[in-house]
Amino acid sequence: MDFRYKELIARSRSISEQISTIQKQDLNALVDHDMRSAINFLSHQDGIDPERIGLVSTSLGSRVGLFSGVRYKIKALVLISLSGPEAFRGGKSIKQLLEEYGERPILFMTSEKDWGGNGKAAEDNKLYFNWAKGKKELKIWPGSGHGVDILKREEASKFVSSWLGQNL
Amino acid sequence: MRVRKSLVKTLFLPVILLLMSFGCATTQITKEPVTLLTDDQTKLASTYYPPRTPNAPVLFYCRTLDAIESTLVISLLNSTKLDLVSWLWISDIRSSLRGREAYRSR
């Protein structure tokens, strides 16, 4: 854990403030540089089919994931606990991005009381599901898990692997 | 009857050991530490799981998964349908967030 990041979080007075602080960050650098170099790395490895790259992302990472799914050649996208303000800071809205993502397969996953995005992730994801254009699936798990915590459940990780097996 | 019991005892341990070694073999996953250098010269420490067969589908993760590595990776890589999976995740993608942008909102 990075100390500066920890410090940034520590200065927030509540979980909602922590989420709000994180969501205010500009994600462009992550998409423009980090994701680009990672996809580039993968695409040039022996035995890798660059036409079959899937992306699984959680929490704040699901915003990076959605942006990256639009910008790069991603065959299937899993967004876990995508939530929060509909518009990206200085960028496009989730609805616009889902339209640009087009017909490619997409899986939305959250929990009934996902604490991300002001506790409205389940409602938000129903909306995102309706906005998605192509082959889509929405899975809402019971409980209040968020992001990586949802994937800790064996049935959730199996669900993701099964879905990827059908769509990659 | 005694012979049969003795035979069972004699075979029991090797069979268990065989099952255990088979179990270990099916969950053994190769991984490599990789440092990605982005075009803005940021270094990203990553973990790469090479494909087990050619033309494998690639699964890519954009946030830290260290905490669930054992559960999810084994589940995904040993899944019948995803036997051919290889994947990579950026274990400290947040470093670029904090380095470039973390203080912008203050």
Side-chain angles (χ1 to χ4, degrees), chain A residues 2 4 25-26 29-30 33-36 38 41-42 45 47-48 52 54-58 61 152 157 161, chain B residues 38-39 48 51 55-56 58-62 68 72 76 82 86 88 96-98 100-104 106:
Chain A
D2 175 79
R4 284 190 292 167
Q25 310 308 315
D26 186 349
L30 303 184
H33 302 296
D34 301 0
M35 292 295 286
R36 184 179 170 190
F41 166 81
L42 280 177
Q45 299 308 302
I48 297 296
R52 299 174 71 194
L55 178 57
V56 178
S57 52
T58 64
K152 286 180 186 171
S157 62
S161 65
Chain B
T38 66
D39 49 13
Y48 175 58
N55 298 318
V58 177
L59 185 59
F60 179 79
Y61 208 99
C62 69
I68 59 163
L72 189 62
L76 287 171
L82 277 183
S86 65
L88 175 149
S96 55
L97 170 70
R98 69 202 177 217
R100 283 191 284 262
E101 307 292 344
Y103 293 90
R104 185 174 284 186
R106 289 181 184 171

Side-chain angles (χ1 to χ4, degrees), chain A residues 79-156:
Chain A
L79 304 176
I80 301 171
S81 296
L82 176 66
S83 57
E86 208 270 299
F88 284 68
R89 185 172 180 247
K92 296 175 179 176
S93 69
I94 292 176
K95 189 175 185 180
Q96 279 176 295
L97 288 168
L98 286 170
E99 281 171 3
E100 288 181 26
Y101 180 72
E103 300 292 322
R104 289 171 286 167
I106 188 164
L107 168 63
F108 300 95
M109 194 183 268
T110 183
S111 67
E112 283 171 349
K113 295 179 182 175
D114 191 326
W115 53 261
N118 303 321
K120 296 195 300 179
E123 288 173 46
D124 288 347
N125 275 264
K126 287 175 189 170
L127 209 54
Y128 307 152
F129 176 78
N130 288 330
W131 291 339
K133 299 283 180 192
K135 186 176 179 185
K136 54 190 177 180
E137 189 154 355
L138 170 64
K139 183 70 181 175
I140 301 176
W141 298 94
S144 58
H146 174 76
V148 170
D149 286 337
I150 292 175
L151 280 179
K152 286 180 186 171
R153 305 161 62 133
E154 194 181 352
E155 64 270 41

